[in-house]
Structures are given as structure tokens and as C-alpha cells.
Amino acid sequence: MKPKIHILATGGTIAGVSASAVSTSYSAGRIDIDTLLATVPQVFELADISGEQFCSIGSQDMNEAIWLKLSSRINSLLSGEDCDGVLITHGTDTMEETAYFLNLTVHSEKPVILVGAMRSASAISEDGPANIYNGIVAICDPKTRGRGVLCCMNNHLIAAKDVVKQHTTYLSAFEGGNSDSVGYVFGNNVYYQRDVTSRHTVNSEFSVEGMDKLPEVGIVYGYAGCSPLPFKALVDAGFDGIVIAGVGNGNLYRDLLPYAEEAAEKSVIIVRSTRCPSGPTSLDAELNDNRYGFIASFNLNPQKSRILLMLALCRTRDRARIQEYFLQY
Ligand code: GLU
């Protein structure tokens, strides 16, 4: 019997239409899931496929409200007998954030894979159909179970914790950042080269069922001579947590440091991450986190640190416990 796979379409370049096959300008999220699936009829030989137009946005417009609904929909689909896996078509801009949010809030061993495209559906050599096909091949493979949420782009299967969009336009835009991809798809075969060791899905303690909003967490970008004004604005607005995309190993400019220390004293949770494209932000490097009351993000980039901190703040404000989450997830 063929596996039953449900596709949730959210928009993005994969559903985008350009003025001509060679035009660089296009609008994301213009074609619906049925039209998109008609471009890759081969998937119906692999699985019983059903499609649902979940939303139609460019993923620059993704937000927490959609994440909460998406997570709840996937949990409900996967808890039934009629669905063996979920494929999500998604814009590439925030794909890594959606993947990581679902990795922590979907509680199933069944495969959940996100795919997108770097070229619109009407461009020469569009990559969307191949990414959809490869994503379906991966979901059909029993070895994909239990690996958490994955992104399938340009043949690579990349774990949600690691995946980063590291180039604005290349087909090879997606990489694993601090880790290699977990595997790859070639033809109708899936090859896994490593396991995912961080906690996710069935081993995640985070649940957002029934929630309609998340704690407010913002990101402040570090740079030479960094003004503390954006940081102060978030504190004054009552944000629960702030992630600092620090320089190097999560360092803060000297004018920002006292404000961050004061905010941490007033129980705003401050996470140090890095604007470097790769490498961990380690505990107690040039800054003593215990002294300042900060948390180090380790292998999470600022945008994924924000997601973990929002979920952590649904459970606790205890700094040591939140630091532990950053080590485990
Ligand atoms: N900005 C749009 C989005 O993220 C298009 C980019 C893309 O999908 O590659 O949905």
C-alpha cells in the first residue's frame, strides 16, 4: 500500500509567477497547490497525495499566529491513521524558522519535510518540482521516521536545527550551517549520513496546543559602535526576552552592555547569539554570563534562538533552566 502524504501549501517562490521565464522579478505565492502538483505528476506514483492550500504568502510575512495554526494542524493530521507524513511547501526566506518551530512543537515520529524553490514556478529550470519530488521520496522512506523536521532543498536533507538560508539567490542557498546535511536524495533513494542528536518532536517538552499567542521576544543586531536605542525600545515596550545577534562569540558593544545587564536584572531574559554565519556562541567566553545574567545560544542563530526563547518562556523564567534548553534543543 502506498503511503498517505498530505501537502500543506503556504506560498513562496515555489508557487511564484514571474513576468517571463527569464525575468528576475516575480510575485510569490500565486499558484495553488493543485496547479503546483500538476507540474510534478510523478509523485502520484509514489504515494497517495492530498493537498491543502493552508495560506498563500511570501514567507517574509510568516508569523507566530500562522505557526501556531500550522503546528496544530500537523499534530492533528499525524495523530490519525490517514496520514503517514506531511510535506509543507514554503517560501525560502523564513523556512528555517518555520522548520525549527515545528521541530519543537510537532509531537510525532512521522516525517515532516519543508520544501521551497529558489526559482519561481514559471522560470527556466525551476527547482520547485524536483524539490517536491525529492521531499516526497524522503517521506516515503521508512528511515526518515524519527529524525525530526527536515528541509529538502537541492537534494540535501537538512535538520531543522541546522538549516540556514546562506545565499539570497543561488540554487545551493540552503546549508546545514554548523553541521552537514543529515542526508540526501538521489533518484528514488534516500541516503542518511548522520543522526540528529538534539531533542525534537516526540522528545520535545514544548507544546503550543490551544495557544493563540507567544511571549514577545525581539532581536537586536550588534555592530561596531552599536547604539543601545533599539535594545532600549524593546525593553520599554515590555518585551519578555531579547536575543542579541552579537559580534564574534556573542560580544556586545560597551554602550549596550550596561543596558543589557540592567534589563537582565529586571528579569528580561537576554540571550547572546552571534551575527557570524557559523560557530557556536559559548558560555562565559569574553563575557561572564553568570555575572551579567545572560544566556548563551550555543549552536542556534539569532532567529532560531528567538523561537526557542519564546517557547521556553511559555514554561519558565528561570535562567538556568532556559540555559539548559539551549544546550539540549
Ligand atoms: N520572499 C519570498 C518567500 O520567502 C520568496 C523567496 C522564496 O521563496 O525563495 O516566500
Side-chain angles (χ1 to χ4, degrees):
M1 221 169 58
K2 287 183 194 165
K4 298 185 212 66
I5 298 177
H6 194 67
I7 303 186
L8 294 168
T10 69
T13 297
I14 194 165
V17 175
S18 36
S20 80
V22 291
S23 168
T24 51
S25 70
Y26 67 94
S27 323
R30 294 292 291 279
I31 63 171
D32 65 23
I33 182 59
D34 295 330
T35 314
L36 191 55
L37 279 173
T39 66
V40 54
Q42 298 84 348
V43 293
F44 294 101
E45 288 160 30
L46 302 174
D48 284 339
I49 309 264
S50 50
E52 174 180 335
Q53 195 65 48
F54 192 78
C55 59
S56 293
I57 57 168
S59 73
Q60 60 269 45
D61 291 328
M62 187 49 73
N63 59 35
E64 298 88 352
I66 302 176
W67 283 340
L68 290 168
K69 285 193 198 127
L70 192 57
S71 172
S72 166
R73 179 80 183 113
I74 297 169
N75 274 315
S76 136
L77 283 164
L78 296 181
S79 64
E81 301 279 294
D82 286 337
C83 183
D84 298 310
V86 170
L87 185 88
I88 302 156
T89 60
H90 199 288
T92 59
D93 291 357
T94 59
M95 181 188 281
E96 65 190 84
E97 287 166 73
T98 300
Y100 188 59
F101 183 80
L102 297 175
N103 197 45
L104 302 187
T105 61
V106 167
H107 302 291
S108 174
E109 295 214 315
K110 293 178 184 173
V112 176
I113 294 190
L114 286 89
V115 295
M118 296 304 294
R119 294 180 183 153
S120 83
S122 53
I124 289 179
S125 296
E126 84 270 43
D127 50 330
N131 288 338
I132 291 175
Y133 187 80
N134 289 339
I136 296 287
V137 168
I139 292 176
C140 291
D141 191 313
K143 295 193 299 294
T144 302
R145 268 182 85 96
R147 292 179 188 269
V149 175
L150 304 174
C151 292
C152 184
M153 293 292 288
N154 201 27
N155 294 86
H156 290 273
L157 288 161
I158 312 172
K161 176 167 183 170
D162 305 322
V163 64
V164 280
K165 183 179 185 181
Q166 51 74 42
H167 194 280
T168 50
T169 53
Y170 286 173
L171 287 186
S172 58
F174 282 77
E175 283 184 357
N178 286 325
S179 296
D180 288 338
S181 45
V182 291
Y184 61 97
V185 182
F186 188 64
N188 281 336
N189 295 309
V190 184
Y191 300 91
Y192 283 104
Q193 43 211 10
R194 69 174 185 86
D195 291 331
V196 176
T197 51
S198 57
R199 289 176 71 175
H200 58 74
T201 56
V202 287
N203 292 318
S204 165
E205 66 205 87
F206 303 112
S207 170
V208 290
E209 220 41 61
M211 292 176 67
D212 58 8
K213 67 196 225 351
L214 293 168
E216 288 211 275
V217 176
I219 300 175
V220 169
Y221 200 88
Y223 53 92
C226 182
S227 163
L229 286 178
F231 183 91
K232 281 167 66 183
L234 293 181
V235 174
D236 293 345
F239 273 51
D240 304 288
I242 300 173
V243 176
I244 299 170
V247 295
N249 197 349
N251 289 312
L252 278 61
Y253 185 61
R254 63 179 181 219
D255 286 2
L256 176 58
L257 190 56
Y259 289 102
E261 185 179 14
E262 191 189 337
E265 263 166 30
K266 289 187 186 147
S267 83
V268 182
I269 303 296
I270 309 293
V271 172
R272 292 187 306 111
S273 183
T274 177
R275 67 177 196 172
C276 290
S278 55
T281 303
S282 24
L283 199 59
D284 298 333
E286 284 181 71
L287 277 168
N288 184 311
D289 289 291
N290 263 332
R291 178 185 153 201
Y292 289 105
F294 300 158
I295 287 161
S297 75
F298 286 88
N299 281 315
L300 288 183
N301 65 19
Q303 54 273 34
K304 289 186 197 172
S305 298
R306 173 176 175 266
I307 289 168
L308 180 55
L309 184 52
M310 288 192 294
L311 294 172
L313 286 167
C314 294
R315 295 183 66 81
T316 184
R317 296 193 73 90
D318 182 73
R319 198 177 69 82
R321 223 171 124 199
I322 298 175
Q323 180 64 76
E324 195 53 34
Y325 289 151
F326 275 84
L327 284 159
Q328 293 180 4
Y329 290 92

